[in-house]
């Protein structure tokens, strides 16, 4: 969920403050090709491992709560890194940060392929990958804003956005094919392809002047460790983790009120609609992310599908439908308003959850059709949350506010995956409930889907109470 506003505002402010001329690429088509290339591979790695999680769990003989950390660790560092790179791009320059990010991304990939036989190393490699990959979405929009001619920017933003959507869609397909026909560990090789773009950006990006500033290191550490502790709690349900996380979050809250340049602006927490909009986005997007992470386990346990079939036959059609639904959602928001579109998106998602929950036993292809509704609803939800949060902010708050939205929603997706992993491991909901579900392998998944419906309904109620006039 990456928005343009934050980076464009920062780039304009930076240019005005330090007097940097608006540099342009001489070969715009070549520049756009390389930027799109980076955008594609940065988001591809968010989804490429998803279909391989059951294979990883089987190889290491671990429950889903542990295996899901292969994705959770990437998303946690990706979300935190995105916020950090966005804040320090004016301080250190885009060129240096982008190269560091790409090298870190590839270093994590190399470490992963070399240490694939040791699960803690795999999780660490994914964490390193996320820290490097986060530089791409955080900086790519700034590059376009600063170094692409104004008459070509619309084309650039549109092209990059399209490649992001395609990357998200192709991830499960590529991941499924490699995991099935070769081995899941070879998925670590894919991000190393981004190294071929480094010579181009070293040549064309200028060595920018930098502005003075400081990084709120203490704030980053307090928040990051607190998030990790909370996520560990969702995996093991050990009260020590939740106590530590609460202490760290309280410490972070006190710290940002005193820091000169806090990691998150404390004034944003006093804006009711903004906070509820972000919280709603976290609830809804985290729930859908958790559901998507559960699909491979569900299809493997209930219908014994192969990894390649899950990726290409089950998940791929739904992910690609996001492109179409994204266009429709933007048009509907302008014509019918935020509340209508959010309600429509939630209806599509909840409808798909209910049908899957009721008829999970029948055929795996039911999941293919329902995932189109799920991803369509997700596209509507993202559009509305972005629009609603933006409307709740003053122009001077747009950069910090939209950056916080991106950060929070990325985090919620990682936490959602961890929570679902914990639910599948604890198996508290593994009992017959719905009369239409007779296969014992389906009980747990069917009941978890009912929990998703309840959580999504709570998110809808929270939004309508705050934005009912919209």
């Amino acid at each position: 969920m990456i928005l343009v506003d934050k980076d464009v505002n920062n780039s304009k402010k930076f240019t005005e403050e330090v007097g940097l001329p608006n540099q342009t690429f001489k070969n715009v088509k070549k520049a756009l090709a390389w930027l799109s290339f980076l955008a594609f591979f940065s988001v591809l790695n968010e989804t490429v491992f998803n279909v391989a999680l059951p294979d990883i769990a089987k190889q290491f003989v671990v429950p889903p709560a542990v295996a899901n950390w292969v994705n959770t660790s990437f998303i946690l560092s990706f979300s935190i890194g995105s916020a950090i790179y966005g804040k320090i791009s004016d301080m250190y320059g885009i060129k240096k940060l982008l190269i560091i990010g790409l090298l870190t991304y590839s270093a994590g990939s190399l470490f992963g392929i070399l240490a694939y036989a040791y699960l803690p190393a795999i999780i660490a490699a994914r964490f390193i990958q996320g820290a490097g990959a986060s530089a791409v979405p955080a900086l790519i929009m700034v590059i376009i804003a600063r170094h692409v001619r104004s008459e070509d920017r619309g084309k650039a933003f549109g092209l990059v956005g399209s490649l992001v959507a395609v990357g998200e869609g192709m991830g499960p397909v590529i991941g499924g094919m490699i995991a099935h026909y070769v081995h899941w560990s070879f998925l670590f090789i894919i991000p190393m392809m981004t190294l071929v773009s480094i010579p181009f950006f070293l040549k064309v990006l200028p060595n920018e002047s930098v502005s003075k500033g400081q990084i709120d290191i203490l704030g980053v550490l307090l928040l990051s460790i607190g998030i990790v502790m909370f996520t560990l709690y969702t995996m093991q349900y050990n009260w020590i983790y939740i106590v530590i996380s609460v202490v760290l979050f309280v410490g972070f809250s006190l710290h940002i009120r005193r820091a000169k340049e806090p990691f998150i602006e404390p004034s944003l927490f006093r804006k009711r609609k903004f906070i509820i909009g972000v919280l709603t986005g976290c609830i809804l997007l985290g729930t859908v992310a958790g559901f998507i992470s559960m699909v491979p386990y569900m299809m493997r346990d209930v219908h014994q599908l192969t990894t390649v079939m899950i990726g290409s036959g089950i998940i791929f059609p739904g992910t690609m439908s996001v492109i179409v639904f994204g266009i429709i959602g933007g048009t509907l928001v302008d014509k019918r308003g935020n509340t209508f579109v959010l309600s429509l998106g939630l209806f599509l998602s909840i409808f798909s959850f209910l049908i899957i929950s009721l008829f999970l036993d029948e055929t795996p292809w039911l999941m293919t059709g329902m995932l189109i509704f799920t991803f369509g609803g997700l596209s509507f939800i993202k559009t509305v949350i972005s629009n609603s949060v933006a409307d709740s902010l003053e122009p001077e708050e747009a950069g910090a506010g939209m950056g916080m939205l991106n950060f929070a929603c990325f985090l919620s997706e990682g936490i959602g995956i961890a929570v679902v992993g914990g639910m599948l491991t604890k198996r508290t909901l593994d009992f017959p409930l719905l009369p239409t579900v007779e296969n014992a392998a389906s009980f747990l998944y069917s009941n978890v889907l009912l929990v998703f419906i309840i959580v999504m309904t709570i998110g809808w109620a929270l939004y309508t109470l705050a934005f009912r006039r919209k």
Side-chain angles (χ1 to χ4, degrees):
M1 189 170 181
I2 303 162
L3 302 175
V4 177
D5 306 53
K6 169 178 179 290
D7 295 319
V8 172
N9 286 344
N10 279 350
S11 75
K12 289 180 179 178
K13 179 180 178 183
F14 173 79
T15 302
E16 292 171 358
E17 288 180 353
V18 301
L20 180 71
N22 185 24
Q23 304 286 343
T24 59
F25 288 122
K26 293 181 180 179
N27 191 332
V28 176
K29 290 184 178 179
K30 189 175 181 180
L32 292 182
W34 281 114
L35 292 172
S36 300
F37 174 81
L38 287 185
F40 175 83
F41 280 98
S42 69
V43 298
L44 178 73
N45 214 35
E46 291 184 54
T47 57
V48 75
F49 271 87
N50 191 45
V51 293
L53 292 177
D55 292 334
I56 295 172
K58 181 179 180 181
Q59 175 174 323
F60 293 105
V61 195
V62 295
V66 177
N68 278 14
W69 266 86
V70 173
N71 266 5
T72 299
S73 60
F74 178 88
I75 295 177
L76 290 181
S77 63
F78 188 90
S79 60
I80 296 169
S82 295
I84 293 175
Y85 280 113
K87 279 186 169 291
I88 65 176
S89 62
D90 292 349
M91 295 166 54
Y92 297 101
I94 298 172
K95 184 176 184 177
K96 182 186 298 184
L97 291 178
L98 182 62
I99 302 306
I100 290 174
L102 293 177
L103 291 175
T104 303
Y105 193 16
S106 296
S109 303
L110 180 61
F111 179 51
I113 191 66
L114 294 176
Y116 75 93
Y118 187 48
L119 184 58
I122 295 297
I123 295 173
R126 289 286 283 164
F127 190 88
I128 297 170
Q129 277 190 321
S134 61
V136 176
L139 299 176
I140 197 168
M141 295 304 179
V142 185
I143 292 175
I144 293 174
R146 291 184 191 171
H147 306 297
V148 174
R149 292 186 297 266
S150 57
E151 61 268 26
D152 293 316
R153 282 180 198 149
K155 182 196 303 180
F157 286 132
L159 182 60
V160 170
S162 299
L163 265 293
V164 166
V166 172
E168 291 176 340
M170 292 300 297
V173 178
I174 295 173
M177 293 181 65
I178 292 177
H180 180 76
Y181 292 111
V182 190
H183 190 264
W184 61 264
S185 61
F186 282 80
L187 298 174
F188 279 109
I189 295 177
I190 297 174
M192 298 178 72
M193 296 178 65
T194 58
L195 290 175
V196 302
S197 68
I198 290 181
F200 172 78
F201 289 109
L202 281 174
K203 180 180 179 180
V204 302
L205 286 178
N207 295 313
E208 299 172 329
S209 302
V210 297
S211 61
K212 294 182 180 180
Q214 60 182 15
I215 307 172
D216 183 13
I217 297 177
L218 179 58
V220 172
L221 290 175
L222 287 172
L223 183 60
S224 302
I225 298 173
I227 291 168
V228 171
M229 290 295 105
F230 176 78
T231 310
L232 285 172
Y233 170 76
T234 66
M235 181 177 74
Q236 300 183 10
Y237 296 102
N238 187 325
W239 65 270
I240 294 178
Y241 291 127
I242 197 68
V243 169
I244 295 175
S245 68
V246 169
V247 171
L248 291 171
F249 288 147
V250 171
F252 174 76
S253 178
L254 295 174
H255 167 75
I256 61 175
R257 285 172 168 79
R258 301 171 182 172
K260 291 183 178 179
E261 297 182 26
F263 183 54
I264 294 178
E265 291 295 334
S267 60
L268 293 173
F269 291 96
R270 294 191 290 269
K271 302 183 73 67
R272 177 174 169 270
K273 285 192 173 183
F274 169 79
I275 291 299
I276 293 179
V278 172
L279 181 59
T280 303
C282 289
I283 292 172
L284 300 179
L285 298 181
T287 302
V288 175
F291 163 70
I292 295 169
S293 74
M294 189 175 76
V295 170
Y297 294 108
M298 199 164 20
M299 293 296 95
R300 181 70 62 85
D301 291 346
V302 178
H303 296 290
Q304 294 76 52
L305 294 187
T306 62
T307 304
V308 66
M309 185 58 70
I310 295 171
S312 58
I314 302 298
I315 300 179
F316 175 68
T319 55
M320 293 308 295
S321 70
V322 170
I323 300 174
V324 176
F325 280 101
I327 298 172
I328 296 173
T331 303
L332 283 177
V333 164
D334 293 336
K335 292 183 177 180
R336 301 297 301 273
N338 291 327
T339 302
F340 173 82
V341 177
L342 183 79
S343 299
L344 180 58
L346 280 167
F347 171 78
L348 293 174
S349 298
I350 290 174
F351 172 76
S352 65
F353 291 167
L354 181 60
I355 296 299
I356 297 169
S357 179
L358 287 169
F359 305 109
L360 179 58
D361 291 349
E362 299 301 322
T363 172
W365 308 118
L366 174 68
M367 179 69 74
T368 303
M370 290 302 102
L371 276 175
I372 293 176
F373 288 114
T374 302
F375 280 102
L378 175 64
S379 182
F380 287 177
I381 291 168
K382 283 186 175 183
T383 300
V384 170
I385 294 300
S386 300
N387 197 46
S388 298
V389 170
D391 286 345
S392 71
L393 297 167
E394 300 299 327
E396 64 273 13
E397 299 172 324
M402 300 310 290
M404 181 176 170
L405 174 65
N406 284 329
F407 171 68
C409 288
F410 275 132
L411 278 179
S412 69
E413 292 177 1
I415 292 173
I417 293 171
V419 169
V420 169
M423 295 173 72
L424 298 184
T425 299
K426 293 296 181 180
R427 307 189 72 86
T428 307
L429 298 175
D430 192 5
F431 56 84
L433 179 61
L434 298 177
T436 56
V437 180
E438 299 178 354
N439 184 352
S442 304
F443 294 158
L444 175 60
Y445 300 109
S446 177
N447 295 340
V448 170
L449 283 161
L450 296 179
V451 174
F452 291 162
I453 292 173
I454 295 172
V455 175
M456 297 284 278
T457 304
I458 293 172
W460 174 82
L462 187 65
Y463 179 89
T464 52
L465 286 174
F467 295 89
R468 55 184 177 271
R469 294 183 180 178
K470 282 288 183 184

